Amino acid sequence: MSASWKQLLFQILLLVSCRRINTKTPGPTAPPLVPITSLPTDERSASLEGESHTEKVELLNPVNLSLACTWTGNQNKLPNITGFWRKDGDEVENSQVTVQLEGDQYKLKRVFSIVSEESLGSYSCVFGSEEAKIEFVLAAPQVGELRDKPIVSYVGDSGVIACKMEETKPKPITWNWYKANGTDKEQIFAVAEPLRYEIKNEERKTKLVVHNLTEADGGLYYCGAVYAISTTMSHVELRVISFQEPLKPFIAIVIEVIVLVAAILLYERCQAKKNYTAGNGTIDQTNTMTQGENIEPEESSSVRQRKI
Amino acid sequence: MSPAPGSDLGYKPLDGGWGWMVVVGAHISIGFAYSTPKVLSIFFKEIQENLGASHSEIALISSIMLAVMYAGGPVSSVLVRRFGSRPMVILGGLLCAVSMVAASFGNSIVYLYLCIGIIGGCGLSLNLNASLTIISKYFLIKRPLANGLAMAGSPVFLCIMAPVNQYLLQKFGWRGSLFIFGAVMLNCCVAGALMRPLVPPRRPSTCAAQKNVEGEPNECNTKQKRSGMVNAKTFLDFTFFKDRGFVIYLIGNIMFIFGAYAPILFLSAYAISQGVEEYSAAYLLSIMGFVDMFVRPGTGLIASSKWIRPRIQYFFGFAMIFNGTCHLLCPLIKCYAFLVTYAVFFGVGFGMVFALMFECLMDLMGNQRFPSAVGLVTIIECFPMLLGPPAAGLLVDFDDYKYLFFMCGSVIVAGGVFIFVMNIYNYHMLEKEKPAKVREQNQMSVENQDQASASA
């Protein structure tokens, strides 16, 4: 076990003193993996002065994670208090211990083996009977820049869906794509259907191209960022519509334009006829200028001046 | 104070009546012309994702469209002079509609450059030129007001089309949106229908008949000579450069355009760098556009007044100096409230300059020369417009945003001062030359009366 004690020496101790109930950004990630036969260990701790606090922990690889809670207590500082751990709302078996008041603080600590996706989740240390609670949310890095609006594409067109992991977060091992099928997710294998699907993976970005779209291709698509510990998902909706949809407003607007232009030109013709039948030159010939007119600037023109 | 070249129309313009409907048409047409390159940028992110293009490749679409719109000036002025405004605006509307509809079927960036950039740009250039020309034909006394109202189309359409385009994008994706936007641009044809032509097409038969009767150069030919019409075949009439007023206007305008657009492009980025949140920073541009909407007709109204109208070139110079000063003061502003104030004053300055821009050119050149002049001005303005924002961008990369504002502000102020001072000189020289010109005109009128009495 000397190797793991060496590990402990190199660990980062994270002490977050918090006076509000707001969450803080997660601390630095665990130190790089040193290849050893057993799982590496890591430690996270938080201290609480109020009633509850939530701490986000980002994990990439399986670890033995030691979570430590420190509570300053409330008004009546009992010498002994019970404390237990909870995972995702269910009490962890045999986790109930009696905590002594040491130096005006209660300390609770436990080591958890985080090996797979099931081990991730919300771990809470609870003091007394719900008097104080610190929650550690264990998760793999989430895909950022979620697109909440659906991507609209057309039948026969190629739809492109992209996912991106932020620069500040660690890059995933690879990316997977899934299509929602009812409540399940079916993985998309581009190799199996190269004419239909194309997956372009870069380190932090991934693109799924669906060729020759049909209405059935619409729905939710999930991109999964694969890490050693689990795969984080994010979803985008693809809507496939036919060409008739934009055609309706298009035709409506074209009809409106034709009607307006016809109306304006008809009105003009009516006006011109009215002017003509009322006699040449006696009424304002605003639109015409007879050829033989003198156009010297000094002379007032023979075009009848219109009253403004 | 200023000479009245506008009276060479040869008839008393309407200054009202159907003219106001023409202003509505010009408003729509100019609105589309100026706002389309900007509102199309709403579609760019989706097009970029779908076609797999880079940021700069996509941004080039707008730049090509603007460049073609401005560079097409000379060609469109020739066409407008030959065929009149109405057919050109209708043709422009059809071209734009076709370009957008064709673009919606595109699969490569180069195809979009061709459709939206080149064909769309040509359509817009026809719209712009024809609308300005017909205003000059319908208005004289109230022309600044008409110009202000027509130019107000740009911010109005920007405010309307931006949310409409967002909605279309969400509902129909970029292809459907371009398709429907093409139909929307067909409304330029409605604008064209409103632009009732004033002069019917020339009737060569009457002139020929008269020639036969008299057997000597008659009124038709002298009319042509006197109106000094430039041969329709010349696209670029370089004789304009002999006109002092024109050169002054051009230089001032180039300096203004160079510095005008960069602050708009970088305003939100600057605000964000000063700690303002993204949504509020975008709001600054909306404030500027909103203020612009009301300032343009307001400026037109002021410029129409008896006191300002004769001194309109000075007013133009003042507007530029005001705009430039705003930019120079901007880097001193750190907090959001003052940034809002800056946006308001920026909108005021920007609106004032744009409302007066073409009015001043009309004032200088007169109605006969205006179409060719505006074509020449727009093609020359192409260069500062394309060079200005990248040059400003270089300054931003080099150091803080403040150098950008200093550069733009100082260039615009210099342009305004140049116009102001040089116009004083110009009017002074024109006063000196006036007696000679009056003598020449009297001589020509005597000649004409002799001919008229001879033919009677």
Side-chain angles (χ1 to χ4, degrees), chain A residues 24-39:
Chain A
K24 301 269 175 170
T25 51
T29 50
L33 259 178
V34 174
I36 44 172
T37 46
S38 61
L39 281 180

Side-chain angles (χ1 to χ4, degrees), chain B residues 92-155:
Chain B
L94 284 171
L95 269 179
C96 289
V98 162
S99 78
M100 295 294 153
V101 168
S104 71
F105 294 100
N107 277 314
S108 75
I109 273 287
V110 178
Y111 181 84
L112 287 181
Y113 289 158
L114 199 67
C115 284
I116 301 180
I118 296 183
I119 302 179
C122 288
L124 292 183
S125 122
L126 285 172
N127 274 0
L128 184 64
N129 208 309
S131 315
L132 293 169
T133 305
I134 201 160
I135 290 181
S136 70
K137 291 210 174 100
Y138 265 89
F139 287 89
L140 182 58
I141 298 172
K142 295 206 181 125
R143 200 177 58 198
L145 177 61
N147 264 317
L149 282 168
M151 295 295 284
S154 169

Side-chain angles (χ1 to χ4, degrees), chain B residues 191-212:
Chain B
L194 284 169
M195 295 181 185
R196 226 183 258 179
L198 269 179
V199 181
R202 223 170 311 143
R203 284 169 273 166
S205 51
T206 339
C207 275
Q210 279 191 329
K211 192 163 182 174
N212 288 338

Side-chain angles (χ1 to χ4, degrees), chain B residues 70 252-261 354 357 381 384-385 388-389:
Chain B
Y70 271 66
N253 235 30
I254 289 175
M255 296 173 85
F256 172 73
I257 297 281
F258 187 76
Y261 291 105
F354 266 90
M357 196 181 261
E381 272 179 12
M385 195 190 56

Side-chain angles (χ1 to χ4, degrees), chain B residues 42-207:
Chain B
I42 291 174
F43 300 146
F44 284 171
K45 186 147 185 269
E46 263 218 31
I47 299 179
Q48 196 184 338
E49 279 174 10
N50 199 292
L51 295 183
S54 70
H55 274 294
S56 46
E57 280 175 348
I58 283 283
L60 208 54
I61 296 179
S62 261
S63 306
I64 292 180
M65 195 181 207
L66 268 171
V68 172
M69 179 174 114
Y70 271 66
V75 176
S76 49
S77 21
V78 169
L79 290 171
V80 167
R81 278 220 323 251
R82 177 80 180 79
F83 297 108
S85 290
R86 175 183 265 173
M88 287 303 114
V89 175
I90 294 180
L91 179 65
L94 284 171
L95 269 179
C96 289
V98 162
S99 78
M100 295 294 153
V101 168
S104 71
F105 294 100
N107 277 314
S108 75
I109 273 287
V110 178
Y111 181 84
L112 287 181
Y113 289 158
L114 199 67
C115 284
I116 301 180
I118 296 183
I119 302 179
C122 288
L124 292 183
S125 122
L126 285 172
N127 274 0
L128 184 64
N129 208 309
S131 315
L132 293 169
T133 305
I134 201 160
I135 290 181
S136 70
K137 291 210 174 100
Y138 265 89
F139 287 89
L140 182 58
I141 298 172
K142 295 206 181 125
R143 200 177 58 198
L145 177 61
N147 264 317
L149 282 168
M151 295 295 284
S154 169
V156 164
F157 271 75
L158 196 61
C159 280
I160 297 176
M161 295 311 298
V164 165
N165 273 4
Q166 275 287 16
Y167 169 74
L168 285 177
L169 188 66
Q170 279 170 32
K171 196 125 194 276
F172 298 106
W174 71 270
R175 287 187 198 273
S177 306
L178 276 178
F179 196 66
I180 296 176
F181 192 60
V184 172
M185 294 206 81
L186 269 183
N187 280 300
C188 288
C189 297
V190 177
L194 284 169
M195 295 181 185
R196 226 183 258 179
L198 269 179
V199 181
R202 223 170 311 143
R203 284 169 273 166
S205 51
T206 339
C207 275

Side-chain angles (χ1 to χ4, degrees), chain A residues 125-192:
Chain A
C125 61
V126 187
F127 288 98
S129 45
E130 304 297 327
E131 279 161 51
K133 187 165 64 169
I134 299 178
E135 190 185 359
F136 294 90
V137 181
L138 273 53
Q142 296 295 315
V143 179
E145 292 183 28
L146 289 174
R147 200 204 153 101
D148 50 353
K149 305 238 167 64
I151 295 179
V152 182
S153 252
Y154 289 87
V155 175
D157 194 14
S158 300
V160 177
I161 313 172
C163 273
K164 192 170 144 183
M165 182 60 79
E166 280 160 34
E167 298 287 321
T168 48
K169 299 209 174 135
K171 52 182 190 255
I173 300 169
T174 184
W175 291 90
N176 284 337
W177 281 95
Y178 304 87
K179 186 176 185 323
N181 194 356
T183 46
D184 298 324
K185 298 189 193 72
E186 246 178 57
Q187 186 164 5
I188 298 173
F189 294 101
V191 214

